[in-house]
Amino acid sequence: MSFAEQLTRLQVFLDADELHDEALDYVAAHGYLTALSICSEQVPDREWIDALFAEEPHYASEAQRAEIESTLVGLKAHIARQLASDEEFELPCELDLGDDPDDSELRGWCIGFMEGVFLREAAWFETAEEEVSEMLLPIMVGSGLFDEQPEFSDIAADANLMDDMIVQIPEALTALYLLCNAPDEKPAILKPRHH
């Protein structure tokens, strides 16, 4: 079975209604695996797989479990290779929150990404808290998880500012990857911004 076919089967499995309410769907899982691929601390496969599903899914068989888990591990490796390459990172959804952000795939992707960050929060912020926070900002805004906080509600209220931030997500991911995995090479977008 090709990797594309495996991903299709994984997508069907993750998007099914039978999974736990807190389990991540395919797009959210992609965001989650992207965060895990960037994080400087490796999270054991068993731990992140269990956290992704929230509770043990009802697999049809041991073979299905093995296939789903190995495809998740394969997707994580694929994302890591994509991040390490020079090409712009492609998200599995449009870079757009649409008219109803809560229903958009991008919001799901951003929430999944933040779930991945929360799994090893200390590791994300231990070396360059300010830079990491700045680069995570577009994803945090996209996730809607922080809208209660004044600085986030101000951004959320400004549609143009929201759009400007959302389109920065791919380059923010590349910069985060470089910062967390090749700290000697400071990415270009870390140059001080003149306000």
Side-chain angles (χ1 to χ4, degrees):
M1 193 176 0
S2 72
F3 186 54
E5 288 168 325
Q6 287 176 311
L7 283 184
T8 303
R9 288 170 69 148
L10 177 66
Q11 191 164 358
V12 169
F13 186 83
L14 291 179
D15 291 348
D17 291 336
E18 290 81 68
L19 292 181
H20 188 274
D21 287 347
E22 287 174 25
L24 300 179
D25 67 14
Y26 180 77
V27 170
H30 188 287
Y32 176 75
L33 295 176
T34 304
L36 294 176
S37 300
I38 290 173
C39 186
S40 56
E41 185 182 319
Q42 284 295 310
V43 179
D45 291 349
R46 185 73 269 145
E47 182 186 341
W48 66 253
I49 289 171
D50 289 347
L52 184 154
F53 286 117
E55 69 175 31
E56 177 84 11
H58 301 292
Y59 292 107
S61 62
E62 260 318 300
Q64 186 190 34
R65 170 206 292 274
E67 180 194 320
I68 294 296
E69 292 187 356
S70 75
T71 305
L72 280 167
V73 171
L75 178 58
K76 181 171 175 271
H78 173 76
I79 290 169
R81 284 193 299 275
Q82 221 184 337
L83 286 162
S85 77
D86 293 335
E87 293 159 35
E88 180 166 301
F89 190 78
E90 279 187 39
L91 275 69
C93 56
E94 297 292 320
L95 271 179
D96 183 10
L97 287 169
D99 297 334
D100 186 359
D102 286 337
D103 275 347
S104 73
E105 288 195 322
L106 181 61
R107 169 137 300 169
W109 188 92
C110 292
I111 290 172
F113 189 96
M114 293 311 301
E115 293 285 342
V117 170
F118 298 147
L119 215 50
R120 284 292 182 278
E121 202 163 352
W124 278 83
F125 297 105
E126 66 191 352
T127 46
E129 185 170 351
E130 208 168 298
E131 286 111 316
V132 168
S133 300
E134 190 181 321
M135 287 185 264
L136 279 175
L137 192 61
I139 300 168
M140 293 168 77
V141 167
S143 76
L145 294 172
F146 306 91
D147 286 357
E148 304 296 307
Q149 297 174 19
E151 61 271 32
F152 284 95
S153 58
D154 291 349
I155 296 169
D158 183 337
N160 291 337
L161 184 56
M162 282 283 282
D163 290 345
D164 287 349
M165 299 203 87
I166 295 303
V167 296
Q168 291 175 25
I169 290 176
E171 63 180 297
L173 293 172
T174 304
L176 280 165
Y177 182 80
L178 289 172
L179 184 72
C180 296
N181 294 280
D184 305 336
E185 303 171 39
K186 284 285 184 239
I189 73 163
L190 281 186
K191 290 197 290 258
R193 292 219 178 102
H194 299 293
H195 293 292

